[in-house]
Every structure is written in C-alpha cells, then in structure tokens.
C-alpha cells in the first residue's frame, strides 16, 4: 500500500480553512432552520454541535492526508461538514448550501445515491456506516484480485463514540478476517456526549483494550499541544493527573466555565490543588479557557502526527478526544445535540472566524493561500472517470427439466454449478457469502468448485482426507466468502460487493445465503445497503414452518411480506426446482448496472415431486412459462368452468394441487395458480391502478377476468402476503390461509395441520367461499 500525502500545508491557511468549514457547516444548518421559509412549522433539524466536534478531524484529513484512492464514511450527524468541504473543493454548487433537508436538496445524512455532491458511503443508520468501509475494503481487494484497477486506498470511518454501543460494530471488529485488512482506519470522535446527556462513564480504556485484543493498532489522541505544554511546567504533572482522574461529567462542566470559575474549580481539593493553582495563576484568562478545551481531536498538528503513525499492516483505530460543539457557544452543554445557535450567536461566530453572515457562502479570494490550498486539495483528490464494464449476459434457461423429487434449496447449488459450465464469464463474477452455513444451504459443490476467498492463501490440511467432502481451499482467487455467525456482517458485505460496479467500474454478482428466520435480524443493514446502491441477491433458506422438526425458533413467518414491502428489491418464492433456477437467473441478470435491482429468494428444504410442475415440452410454451414465472405467477391447473381458484406459493403448492383434485371429485372444479412473486404481482396491481410504472400483463395471464371465481390463497408465511390478490378482479368471496402463530416441532403433516396449511384445510376453505 502506498503511503498517503505528507506535505503539510501552511499552518495559517489550514487554520483558516478549519474556521471556514466550522462556519459553513453551522450556517448550512442555521439557514435551514432559521432563514429558509417553513410554512409547515415542522422541525427541520440538523446537528451543529456534532458537526463542530468533527471539523478539525475532517479538515486535517481532507486537506493534508487523504488521497484519491481513499474512501471515507462520515458519521451521520457530520454531513454538513462534508458538504462544506465539498463546496470548498468545487464539488458542490453554492445553491445547495441553503437547501439542507429540502426536497431535492442536501440529504439529512450523507447519501451516495441522493446527495448532489460526492459521498463515499451512505450513513445515517448508527453503526452501519461505521462498518461499511470494512466491507468496502474486502470488496476492493476482491475486485482488484479478480479484475484489477481497484487501487490501494485506505478505508476511513469517522465514527461517533456513541456508535460503539452498537452490536453491529463489534460483530465486524471481531470477525477474524478483519485483522488482515491494514487499509482500515477508524477515527472515533470521542466527545463523550450522547443525544440526551453527558455520558457518565465512557470507558475509553476498556474500548482501547477491546480493539487491541482484536488485533487493531490503537492510537490515543487525548490532549492538544497547548495542554501538553502546560503539563511540562511545574504543577503540570498534577494537572494531568487531575484531568485524567476526574469523571467525564465534571470535565464537561469545566467546558462551560469562564476563567474565574475555572480557577476555582480546576485545582480540586486534593493534595495537588496548590500546585495546580500556582500553575493556572500564571495563565491569562484566554489561555486558560482555551487550554481546558485543548483536546487532541482539535489540534491540527497532533491529528497530522496521528495520521502519520498509522500502521498499514493491520487495522487502526484513533481515539480522538473532542468537545461536542467545539468553537460554538453551545460547546460542552449536555443538551447541545440538536441545539441551534441564535442569530446573535451566529454573528459572533462570523466575527471570530472572519465570515460574513450577510454573505454566508462567500468563497476564499482568488490567489489567497486558502484558495490555493483548496485548489491543490481538489487536484489531489480528483478521481479519474472509470469506464463501467457491463456484466456478461446471464442465461435465462439451462434447458433442463428436473424430474423426480427435489428441493428449491438444492436447485440453488445445482444452478450455480450449471452457470460455471454454461456461462463461465458470468459465473466468474458471482461471489457467494454465508455465515458458516455453506454446507447446510447446499453450497458445498459450488465451494468445492470455486474455492474460498481469503486475503492470503492457506494450506488445506484436510485435502488428502478421503472422508472430507467439503474442501476448504482458501486463496485470494476464491469466490466464496465465509463469515462468522453474524448476519449483519453478511448483508453489510453484500451491500458493498453489490456496489463495486459504481465504485470501480467492475460489476460483481453477489449472493448471500442465510437461514430465512434470520433475515429479520439482518433487515436494517440489508435495507440500508440497497438504499446506498448495493445490488445483490439474498437467499433465505430453509424457510417457513415447512422446516417442521426445527421448531418455532427456526420457522420464519413474516419474511414473505418483508420481501413484498422492501424497496429496490424483487422477491421470489419458487415452488419447484426449475422455478428456482429461472428466478435466480433472472435476479442475476438484474445486477451490476445503473438501473439494476436487488432480489430476495425464499427457498425450502421440502422435497417436492417435480412432475407436479407440468413443464410444457414445446419450446415456445416453455419460454412462455418461464416468462410467467419470472413475472410473478402462472396457471398451474386449469379446469372447465371453475368454481374456485386456489392461489398458492412455495412449499405448499402440493397441498393446493391435492385440494384441487379432491374438490374436482366432489363437483367443485378448481383452478390452481402458482405464485412466484407476490411483490411483482402487487406492483402490477398498482400499475393497473395508475400508482406506479410496472408491467401488468401477468395479471391477465395468471388471473384472467373471465375466470374470476371465489379465491383461496395459501402460503407458508403470514396470510396477508397474498390477500391482495382478491383485488385483481374484485373478488368478494375470498379467504387467506397462512401462518399467524409461532411454530413448534413436529412432523410436516402435524405442523401443517396445526397451522391450517394441510390439504383438508385448503379443501374446507374452498368449500366455504365457493358454496
């Protein structure tokens, strides 16, 4: 890894830029709340104090150390600082500075996809943005090994100290592979305040120990050079000991004191009080007030020294002690999180930093040292345009018709192996990720074929063991990434792997596999990854109460509706192996492009007779079936003059077919429609109603108006997922079967009967609506 820039700009110019960044970030929020008209009266919001604590850190990083190859994740509440810097670098037009949190303007938090200026990572969900550069580093290395051109930059996370309360942070830090990622640098804004209060015990020593134990380099940046100078004087050792020993609330209270109050409070009452009193007696008022807030996170020279000490052979965390609201009238106040400066306080700030409140967005004069520093920084950070490499075409059909008994989960592994033979170019871009469940989700054959990705090659000590079926060959060219049992890590990595097409011009086709019940555990970071532009496929398997012996703890209920409701994602739940193959290939074909989209497939371990799929033998009819499967549904059983329609999805389609056969015997002809995507069907309904743009032809083919009858819907999940189907033809007589209670262990027959998914239940429901 190449070393970052080390040319130190002029001290006066850098401090002037720091002042201007403080002003601009504060003014952006001030204008949004106190200047811009607000007819609704709703709070606009923003975080002047949280931004102020980051100004020195971000100024020192951007204007001296950052390189074009580097990427930075900015803590959510410091987004105005990022916008201020981008404006000074010519990356943001001044017209946007007055449009924070306005429709079409600057977003509330940094957004890769919605902000008008560059943001390397979308943040806003606490903890997720902090860990994103870890998975960005893995993605960069993967792309560079496979295709080249991804550079060697560092991956910085600017983290609020309160974010370290998030479990997602420690799941990522503790993953064994992370210790090998030397490009990772976290800078913790240790201002020791949260939203509502001064944190009583920040436990910084414990945090440092936890990072050290995980193999990270730990750099502490506690005091600035003014305080360090005082510590070297007579009484200085006592002063350091006093500040080190005091509680965080007591220290934060000192930040609110004037010089007279400081001279009374600072010495304390212990044996060192006299020495401290003598030391502070020799300081003028301004120096004393400045000294008590002179923490390392606000000292530009100390920050630069810390950046220069980064060890690129392992991850680094810098604990930068800061003051929340530093440089503002609200500094250190326990309720300053969302506090806004008054007009008078803004004018006082402008006078102090050389800004003009009547011309708040004024640029540095042409030819000034500050202007030249901004221009030089912009040149250094300018990234070349990378031509996007379109992903290779993905086949739509391998031409095989499964026979016998099979599961949709097993179809996943088979389809991936077929892809390596039928479309090796596309297969080379597939990368699978799982949390220690490769073999139990039928990825064993794929893993054996492509190997496991690792930063460095490791010896497979079981390669010569004849009884070893799953071969764990770890190498930088592998295409499977195995994480610990941490679903949040999995979906966070998926999001970054799915963004490589927009970061480095090389599209990957990422597939994440996890047990379906744990989709809910990973839901927030998964959704956030999609929001940030990551395109991937998430596969939940095994799913539903069809996983009968595993009991309620491993039986998913709500996940079908999650897929239905998730923006930026198409969801599928195939019933047959061929349906699983077709939908997987269609999902792969949507990845890695500007108009691409993610997908969620819900698969099952229930063995199903594949002849029930009744796949047409005629090539044209087969292709028509495939298009219907990919579009969301297809007619599986048609009768003359039906009296009831059963719309079934996934693992319970056999019960729907059995019920239809029995109904026919008692004079109730029944159609069966196999639903593969409630998501796409719902979009089709909304499109027909004029609410959104989507294809709606599938409704006419799967649910033609001339065959509208009373309707029974059934799935292994919550029944409301399919209940909207009655609105397609305004069917009045309808009933929805599904799972509404926690499951329990048992045989498949017993569990289906318990939840009303068995054939008898479907028959009774059909009779209720049809007779």
């Amino acid at each position: 890894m190449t070393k970052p820039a080390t040319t130190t700009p002029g001290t006066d110019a850098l401090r002037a830029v720091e002042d201007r960044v403080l002003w601009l970030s504060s003014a952006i929020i001030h204008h949004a709340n106190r200047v811009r008209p607000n007819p609704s009266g709703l709070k606009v919001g923003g975080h002047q104090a949280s931004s102020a604590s980051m100004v020195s850190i971000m100024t020192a990083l951007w204007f001296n150390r950052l390189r074009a190859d580097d990427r930075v994740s900015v803590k959510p509440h410091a987004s105005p600082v990022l916008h201020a810097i981008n404006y000074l670098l010519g990356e943001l037009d001044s017209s946007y500075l007055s449009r924070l949190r306005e429709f079409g303007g600057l977003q509330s938090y940094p957004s890769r996809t919605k902000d008008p200026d560059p943001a390397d990572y979308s943040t806003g969900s606490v903890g997720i943005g902090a860990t994103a550069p870890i998975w960005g580093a893995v993605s960069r290395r993967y792309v560079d090994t496979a295709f080249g051109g991804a550079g060697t930059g560092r991956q910085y996370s600017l983290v609020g100290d309160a974010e370290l309360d998030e479990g997602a942070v420690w799941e990522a830090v503790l993953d064994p592979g992370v210790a090998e990622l030397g490009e990772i640098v976290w800078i913790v804004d240790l201002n020791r305040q949260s939203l509502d209060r001064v944190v009583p015990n920040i436990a910084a020593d414990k945090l440092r120990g936890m990072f050290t134990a995980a193999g990270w380099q730990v750099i502490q940046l506690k005091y600035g050079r003014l305080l360090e100078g005082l510590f070297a004087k007579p009484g200085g050792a006592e002063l350091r000991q006093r500040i080190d020993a005091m509680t965080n609330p007591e220290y934060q209270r000192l930040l609110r004191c004037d010089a007279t109050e400081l001279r009374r409070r600072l010495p304390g009452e212990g044996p060192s009080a006299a020495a401290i009193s003598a030391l502070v007696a020799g300081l003028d008022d301004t120096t004393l007030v400045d000294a008590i807030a002179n923490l390392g996170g606000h000292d530009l020279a100390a920050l630069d020294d810390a950046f220069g000490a980064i060890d690129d052979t392992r991850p680094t965390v810098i604990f930068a002690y800061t003051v929340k609201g530093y440089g503002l009238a609200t500094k250190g106040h326990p309720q300053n999180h969302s506090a806004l400066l008054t007009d008078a306080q803004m004018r006082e700030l402008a006078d102090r930093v050389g800004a003009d409140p009547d011309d708040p967005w004024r640029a540095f004069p042409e030819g000034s040292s500050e202007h030249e520093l901004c221009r030089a920084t912009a040149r250094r950070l300018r990234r070349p345009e990378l031509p996007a490499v379109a992903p290779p075409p993905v086949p739509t059909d391998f031409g095989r018709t499964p026979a016998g008994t099979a599961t949709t989960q097993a179809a996943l592994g088979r389809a991936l192996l077929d892809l390596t033979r039928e479309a090796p170019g596309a297969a080379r871009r597939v990368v699978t990720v799982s949390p220690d469940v490769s073999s139990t989700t039928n990825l064993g054959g794929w893993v054996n074929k492509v190997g496991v990705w690792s930063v460095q090659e490791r010896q497979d000590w079981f390669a010569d063991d004849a009884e070893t079926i799953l071969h764990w060959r770890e190498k930088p060219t592998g295409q499977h990434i195995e994480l610990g049992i941490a679903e949040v890590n999995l979906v966070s990595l998926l999001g970054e792997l799915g963004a490589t097409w927009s970061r480095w011009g090389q599209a990957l086709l990422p597939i994440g596999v996890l047990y379906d019940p744990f989709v809910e555990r990973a839901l927030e970071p998964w959704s956030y990854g999609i929001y940030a532009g990551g395109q991937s496929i998430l596969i939940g398997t095994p799913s539903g109460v069809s996983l009968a012996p595993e009991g309620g703890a491993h039986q998913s209920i709500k996940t079908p509706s999650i897929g239905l409701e998730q923006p930026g994602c198409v969801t599928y739940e195939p019933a047959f192996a061929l349906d699983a193959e077709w939908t997987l290939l269609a999902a792969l074909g949507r990845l890695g492009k500007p108009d691409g989209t993610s997908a969620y497939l819900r698969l099952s371990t229930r063995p199903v007779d594949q002849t029930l799929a009744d796949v047409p033998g005629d090539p044209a009819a087969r292709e028509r079936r495939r298009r219907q499967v990919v579009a969301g549904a297809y007619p599986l059983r048609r009768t003359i003059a039906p009296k009831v329609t059963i719309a079934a999805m996934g693992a319970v389609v056999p019960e729907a077919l059995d019920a239809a056969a029995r109904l026919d015997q008692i004079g109730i002809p029944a159609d069966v429609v196999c639903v593969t995507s409630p998501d796409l069907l719902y979009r089709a309904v909304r499109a027909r109603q004029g609410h959104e743009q989507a294809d709606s032809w599938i409704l006419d083919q799967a649910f033609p108006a001339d065959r509208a009858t009373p309707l029974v819907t059934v799935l292994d999940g919550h029944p409301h997922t399919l209940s909207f189907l009655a609105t397609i033809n305004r069917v009045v007589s309808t009933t929805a079967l599904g799972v509404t209670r926690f499951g329990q262990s048992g045989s498949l027959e017993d569990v289906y009967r318990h939840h009303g998914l068995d054939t008898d239940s479907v028959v009774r429901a059909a009779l209720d609506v049809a007779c």
Side-chain angles (χ1 to χ4, degrees):
M1 182 179 296
T2 57
K3 287 291 183 180
T6 57
T7 302
T8 304
T11 302
D12 291 343
L14 191 60
R15 286 177 177 166
V17 169
E18 177 188 27
D19 284 344
R20 186 59 58 90
V21 171
L22 176 63
W23 164 258
L24 287 171
S25 59
S26 301
I28 288 169
I29 300 168
H30 179 78
H31 194 283
N33 287 273
R34 299 197 186 276
V35 179
R36 192 171 71 217
N38 183 11
S40 71
L42 291 174
K43 173 186 172 183
V44 176
H47 303 85
Q48 289 174 327
S50 293
S51 291
S53 67
M54 287 297 302
V55 165
S56 303
I57 293 170
M58 293 177 68
T59 300
L61 182 60
W62 257 261
F63 290 89
N64 190 28
R65 290 284 175 173
L66 215 56
R67 298 170 301 148
D69 275 353
D70 297 337
R71 298 291 188 274
V72 187
S73 171
V74 177
K75 78 170 190 177
H77 293 165
S79 63
V81 183
L82 178 62
H83 297 312
I85 290 175
N86 280 336
Y87 166 64
L88 292 176
L89 298 181
E91 297 284 357
L92 180 66
D93 188 81
S94 62
S95 63
Y96 282 102
L97 300 179
S98 60
R99 301 182 61 197
L100 176 70
R101 301 188 174 201
E102 181 182 78
F103 188 79
L106 300 176
Q107 299 300 300
S108 54
Y109 309 119
S111 172
R112 289 190 71 230
T113 57
K114 296 183 180 298
D115 270 321
D117 56 330
D120 292 330
Y121 290 95
S122 296
T123 60
S125 189
V126 173
I128 294 175
T131 62
I134 288 179
W135 314 120
V138 173
S139 301
R140 183 202 63 77
R141 288 191 181 220
Y142 190 99
V143 167
D144 203 56
T145 298
F147 310 108
T152 58
R154 285 177 178 167
Q155 298 278 341
Y156 290 91
S157 290
L158 307 183
V159 183
D161 52 5
E163 289 191 86
L164 298 182
D165 292 341
E166 288 288 338
V169 167
W170 298 106
E171 286 185 9
V173 168
L174 295 175
D175 190 271
V178 171
E180 299 177 292
L181 302 175
E183 62 266 48
I184 297 297
V185 179
W186 282 19
I187 305 169
V188 180
D189 173 19
L190 204 66
N191 61 44
R192 295 167 288 176
Q193 286 186 236
S194 62
L195 190 150
D196 293 324
R197 60 176 181 155
V198 170
V199 179
N201 182 10
I202 200 65
D205 290 338
K206 180 173 71 174
L207 292 173
R208 288 193 294 271
M210 292 167 71
F211 276 98
T212 300
W216 290 48
Q217 177 193 21
V218 177
I219 298 175
Q220 176 173 279
L221 194 57
K222 190 168 187 180
Y223 298 118
R225 297 194 174 186
L226 176 56
L227 260 181
E228 291 287 1
L230 293 181
F231 294 156
K233 294 182 177 182
E238 290 83 357
L239 177 61
R240 181 194 288 271
Q241 184 178 27
R242 163 82 171 120
I243 296 176
D244 281 344
M246 70 175 55
T247 65
N248 182 42
E250 182 181 4
Y251 171 76
Q252 298 279 345
R253 180 64 184 90
L254 294 180
L255 297 172
R256 307 291 303 163
C257 296
D258 59 20
T260 300
E261 189 76 2
L262 278 174
R263 296 183 197 281
R264 182 179 68 82
R265 288 175 177 262
L266 185 56
E269 298 178 351
S272 61
I276 297 172
S277 295
L279 174 61
V280 300
L283 304 176
D284 61 75
D285 288 355
T286 300
T287 301
L288 178 57
V289 172
D290 288 346
I292 198 62
N294 181 231
L295 299 180
H298 300 300
D299 189 305
L300 295 174
L303 282 161
D304 193 63
D305 288 345
F307 296 152
I310 292 171
D311 175 7
D312 287 322
T313 66
R314 53 181 172 153
T316 296
V317 59
I318 299 173
F319 286 98
Y321 283 71
T322 60
V323 174
K324 194 167 184 176
Y326 185 78
L328 305 180
T330 55
K331 73 172 184 180
H333 193 282
Q335 278 83 52
N336 67 8
H337 184 79
S338 298
L340 298 170
L341 298 185
T342 64
D343 289 336
Q345 289 170 332
M346 284 296 292
R347 288 191 172 274
E348 184 278 328
L349 174 63
D351 290 341
R352 180 157 44 84
V353 301
D356 183 354
D358 298 319
D359 186 12
W361 322 128
R362 185 184 66 194
F364 288 119
E366 292 264 354
S368 66
S369 57
E370 296 86 358
H371 181 264
E372 291 305 310
L373 173 57
C374 292
R375 287 186 60 189
T377 301
R379 286 194 299 269
R380 170 165 43 85
L381 297 181
R382 189 164 294 120
R383 293 169 183 162
E385 290 288 333
L386 291 175
V389 178
V394 177
T396 58
D397 188 354
F398 293 135
R400 181 189 304 106
T401 303
T405 300
T407 72
T408 54
Q409 177 178 289
L412 164 66
R414 180 65 181 267
L416 289 176
L417 289 176
D418 284 345
L419 191 66
T420 64
R421 291 186 289 268
E422 301 291 332
R428 183 64 190 92
R429 291 181 180 266
V430 171
V431 52
T432 55
V433 187
S434 69
D436 197 31
V437 291
S438 301
S439 56
T440 55
T441 54
N442 284 89
L443 287 182
W446 164 260
V447 172
N448 286 343
K449 176 80 172 179
V450 301
V452 178
W453 183 85
S454 176
V455 171
Q456 56 187 342
E457 187 161 357
R458 294 186 174 92
Q459 183 171 350
D460 179 8
W461 291 100
F462 291 87
D464 59 348
D465 186 337
E467 296 183 5
T468 298
I469 299 175
L470 181 63
H471 297 288
W472 209 252
R473 302 191 311 275
E474 297 179 85
K475 52 188 179 180
T477 57
Q479 291 180 245
H480 175 74
I481 301 177
E482 188 91 346
L483 300 173
I485 304 178
E487 286 78 12
V488 170
N489 285 353
L490 178 140
V491 296
S492 298
L493 176 55
L494 271 186
E496 292 307 317
L497 290 168
T500 60
W501 66 272
S502 59
R503 289 198 194 280
W504 297 291
Q506 293 286 355
L508 297 177
L509 308 179
I511 300 173
V513 180
L514 75 168
Y515 288 175
D516 194 62
F518 306 135
V519 167
E520 293 179 70
R521 182 184 300 174
L523 180 57
E524 184 197 6
W526 175 50
S527 177
Y528 212 85
I530 296 174
Y531 166 80
Q535 299 171 13
S536 62
I537 299 172
L538 184 66
I539 295 180
T541 183
S543 63
V545 298
S546 295
L547 190 61
E550 291 283 348
H554 276 183
Q555 295 171 353
S556 54
I557 298 170
K558 296 181 293 182
T559 48
S561 59
I562 287 173
L564 173 66
E565 296 159 6
Q566 176 61 46
C569 176
V570 175
T571 183
Y572 289 110
E573 185 166 348
F576 301 103
L578 188 55
D579 295 354
E581 176 190 300
W582 284 340
T583 54
L584 176 66
L585 293 175
L588 286 169
R590 296 189 183 103
L591 299 180
K593 56 190 71 173
D595 60 346
T597 186
S598 294
Y600 164 46
L601 273 66
R602 192 172 186 254
L603 305 183
S604 174
T605 52
R606 181 188 181 183
V608 171
D609 178 3
Q610 298 301 300
T611 62
L612 295 176
D614 195 22
V615 179
D618 180 80
R622 178 188 176 99
E623 173 58 16
R624 183 173 185 264
R625 164 70 68 84
R626 187 199 66 80
R627 291 182 67 246
Q628 291 172 337
V629 167
V630 171
Y634 60 93
L636 184 55
R637 185 182 193 270
R638 289 286 199 231
T639 62
I640 299 174
K643 293 185 178 180
V644 68
T645 299
I646 304 171
M649 184 169 76
V652 296
V653 166
E655 277 65 33
L657 290 170
D658 286 346
R662 284 173 51 182
L663 288 165
D664 194 55
Q665 291 173 2
I666 57 176
I668 309 290
D671 280 356
V672 176
V673 177
C674 182
V675 174
T676 54
S677 176
D679 174 23
L680 292 177
L681 294 182
Y682 188 63
R683 294 188 208 182
V685 169
R686 287 181 53 80
R688 179 180 282 183
Q689 295 169 344
H691 297 310
E692 63 179 89
Q693 295 293 320
D695 290 331
S696 60
W697 60 266
I698 188 60
L699 301 180
D700 295 325
Q701 293 192 9
F703 298 94
D706 62 355
R707 298 186 70 85
T709 64
L711 178 68
V712 177
T713 64
V714 56
L715 76 155
D716 185 356
H718 200 282
H720 81 76
T721 308
L722 297 181
S723 61
F724 75 90
L725 295 178
T727 67
I728 295 174
N729 292 312
R730 301 182 181 181
V731 173
V732 176
S733 185
T734 181
T735 189
L737 304 182
V739 181
T740 60
R741 295 169 288 168
F742 289 115
Q744 57 180 291
S745 297
S747 69
L748 188 67
E749 294 75 16
D750 288 340
V751 170
Y752 273 16
R753 188 178 305 110
H754 174 72
H755 291 286
L757 301 179
D758 60 315
T759 301
D760 285 349
S761 296
V762 179
V763 169
R764 284 194 297 268
L767 292 174
D768 286 343
V769 297
C771 299

